[in-house]
């Protein structure tokens, strides 16, 4: 498989106490009392109508949504949403987001019978504003907030926010469906199938979280960032990656913190099935870091390489972007993405 080695140098500077550090983050996050608060329910329809086309064994009764908040590390209150199928749920989806944050639930590849939790990491819009974390378009300075130490680094704490969101999701699922007539029985056992969805920032921080959280059964990761940090900061790009690069150029010691937030290092600890979409060209998240993450995953992986990552990449015209990484793929269009049903079937019954 040529994608196994595609432009993907692996990190060779992993801290010796990487596992100890993340074990401590896990212990602290799992010990948090989230004190979750669920707001009033209202009818909800995803923009596509439903996360996926309804299965024959699931009634299409629609969805309802409520605002959600909970406490994470440092007693930071995290905002977000929870969406549940009116006809009951048999699985859980925890859905991350990019550096733009999230203004509403959106996760079209979640199974139609999934109860979905949509946390917004600390300092990102619109649900989790924190004074001093992030500013400007897309909250790009979030990527260097607290970078003086791994324990205070925003990316590390964001991964912890997603981990605590998983605790909240399991608590809500048990409360609502554990002994309720509204629960759809899972054909493969009594515990809910739990999937993580994340793209870009959400994929990178998600891998950090997945490496220490054994409650997940699979993940969908699109154009993951934070891969091979030592290589990442050497590459000019757009967005948060360039903010991190410029900070590193002025403060080289920042790499010591970034090494603890390396998604490629963390990926070696992720053994669940993953559907992953690294991009061959991406001006925001350089492809070497994306492939470093995906190729480091230790479990079954379905790699679906994209012609281009962030931005619009349909019917590319290389003549219009000769100074852009999109020229690497010339006039190629995006390959057709597998259907949500195919992806979810792979995550339940992976084939290699």
């Amino acid at each position: 498989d040529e994608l196994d080695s595609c432009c993907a140098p692996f990190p060779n500077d992993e801290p010796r106490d990487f596992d100890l550090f993340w074990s401590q983050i896990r212990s602290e996050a799992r010990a948090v009392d989230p004190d979750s608060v669920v707001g009033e329910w209202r009818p909800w329809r995803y923009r596509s109508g439903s996360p996926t086309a309804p299965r024959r064994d699931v009634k299409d009764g629609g969805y309802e949504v409520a605002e959600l908040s909970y406490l994470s590390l440092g007693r930071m209150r995290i905002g977000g949403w929870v969406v549940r199928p009116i006809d009951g749920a048999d699985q859980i989806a925890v859905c991350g987001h990019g550096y733009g944050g999230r203004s509403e639930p959106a996760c079209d590849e979640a199974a139609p019978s999934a109860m979905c939790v949509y946390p917004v990491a600390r300092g990102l819009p619109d649900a989790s504003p924190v004074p001093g974390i992030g500013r400007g378009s897309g909250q790009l300075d979030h990527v260097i907030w607290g970078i003086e130490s791994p324990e205070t680094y925003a990316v590390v704490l964001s991964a912890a926010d997603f981990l605590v969101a998983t605790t909240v999701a399991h608590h809500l699922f048990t409360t609502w469906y554990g002994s309720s007539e509204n629960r759809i029985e899972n054909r493969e056992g009594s515990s809910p199938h739990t999937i993580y969805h994340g793209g870009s920032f959400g994929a990178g921080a998600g891998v950090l979280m997945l490496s220490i959280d054994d409650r997940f059964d699979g993940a969908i990761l699109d154009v993951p960032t934070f891969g091979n940090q030592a290589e990442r900061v050497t590459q000019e790009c757009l967005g948060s990656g360039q903010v991190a690069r410029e900070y590193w150029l002025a403060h080289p010691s920042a790499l010591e913190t970034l090494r603890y937030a390396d998604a490629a290092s963390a990926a070696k600890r992720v053994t669940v099935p993953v559907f992953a979409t690294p991009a061959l060209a991406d001006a925001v998240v350089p492809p070497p870091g994306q492939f470093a993450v995906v190729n480091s995953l230790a479990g079954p992986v379905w790699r679906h390489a994209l012609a281009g990552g962030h931005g619009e990449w349909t019917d590319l015209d290389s003549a219009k972007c000769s100074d852009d990484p999109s020229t690497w793929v010339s006039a190629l269009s995006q390959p057709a993405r597998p259907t949500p049903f195919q992806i979810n079937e792979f995550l339940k019954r992976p084939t290699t």
Side-chain angles (χ1 to χ4, degrees):
D1 188 347
E2 294 181 359
L3 294 181
D4 284 341
S5 57
C6 181
C7 55
F10 295 99
N12 58 9
D13 60 347
E14 180 180 301
R16 291 184 178 181
D17 62 343
F18 186 91
D19 287 319
L20 176 60
F21 172 78
W22 280 102
S23 176
Q24 292 172 338
I25 294 294
R26 177 188 185 277
S27 296
E28 293 173 14
R30 291 293 291 267
V32 169
D33 176 3
D35 187 28
S36 57
V37 177
V38 177
E40 294 185 5
W41 292 100
R42 56 185 173 85
W44 177 258
R45 288 192 68 81
Y46 289 92
R47 291 189 177 185
S48 61
S50 64
T52 63
R55 296 200 320 255
R56 293 180 180 178
D57 58 335
V58 178
K59 297 179 182 179
D60 187 17
Y63 301 84
E64 54 185 1
V65 64
E67 292 185 356
L68 171 69
S69 71
Y70 62 91
L71 294 176
S72 185
L73 288 187
R75 305 292 291 175
M76 188 76 69
R77 184 155 288 275
I78 304 302
W81 296 265
V82 57
V83 175
R84 64 184 184 184
I86 291 175
D87 288 325
D90 67 353
Q91 55 190 290
I92 293 170
V94 178
C95 305
H97 56 79
Y99 254 120
R102 186 188 294 283
S103 59
E104 65 177 10
C107 195
D108 285 353
E109 287 175 335
S113 59
M115 183 201 80
C116 300
V117 169
Y118 298 88
V120 177
R122 64 185 66 203
L124 293 175
D126 287 335
S128 300
V130 177
I133 305 182
R135 64 178 184 271
S137 176
Q139 309 293 301
L140 298 183
D141 280 2
H142 181 280
V143 76
I144 57 173
W145 186 85
I147 200 170
E148 295 79 12
S149 167
E151 289 81 4
T152 60
Y153 187 36
V155 172
V156 169
L157 298 178
S158 295
D161 294 341
F162 292 157
L163 190 152
V164 180
T166 308
T167 299
V168 172
H170 277 258
H171 171 72
L172 295 178
F173 187 94
T174 300
T175 299
W176 294 334
Y177 306 116
S179 58
S180 169
E181 62 181 7
N182 287 330
R183 176 171 180 178
I184 300 171
E185 289 302 322
N186 189 328
R187 291 172 294 177
E188 299 181 356
S190 58
S191 58
H193 197 68
T194 303
I195 299 296
Y196 178 78
H197 297 244
S200 191
F201 165 82
V207 169
L208 295 172
M209 181 267 297
L210 289 166
S211 72
I212 55 172
D213 198 328
D214 60 3
R215 294 171 293 183
F216 285 90
D217 299 291
I220 298 174
L221 304 174
D222 293 313
V223 291
T225 188
F226 308 135
N228 194 347
Q229 296 276 22
E231 175 74 14
R232 175 173 175 255
V233 295
T234 68
Q235 301 201 13
E236 291 191 16
C237 58
L238 303 176
S240 63
Q242 186 63 17
V243 173
R245 168 178 163 76
E246 292 174 359
Y247 187 89
W248 166 75
L249 288 172
H251 308 278
S253 62
L255 186 58
E256 294 305 308
T257 291
L258 293 174
R259 289 165 61 218
Y260 287 91
D262 195 315
S265 294
K268 295 186 292 184
R269 282 88 172 166
V270 177
T271 60
V272 298
V274 174
F275 175 79
T277 62
L280 294 170
D282 195 322
V284 176
V285 179
Q290 295 187 36
F291 279 92
V293 174
V294 173
N295 292 345
S296 295
L297 292 164
V301 180
W302 183 351
R303 296 177 186 83
H304 181 74
L306 304 177
H310 291 73
E312 299 295 328
W313 294 86
T314 305
D315 297 323
L316 297 177
D317 184 349
S318 59
K320 295 181 180 179
C321 48
S322 58
D323 295 327
D324 189 275
S326 61
T327 55
W328 300 348
V329 291
S330 186
L332 293 177
S333 295
Q334 293 285 37
R337 190 179 180 96
T339 67
F341 176 80
Q342 291 173 318
I343 294 171
N344 281 284
E345 284 299 298
F346 168 77
L347 296 180
K348 285 186 176 182
R349 287 172 283 274
T351 56
T352 56

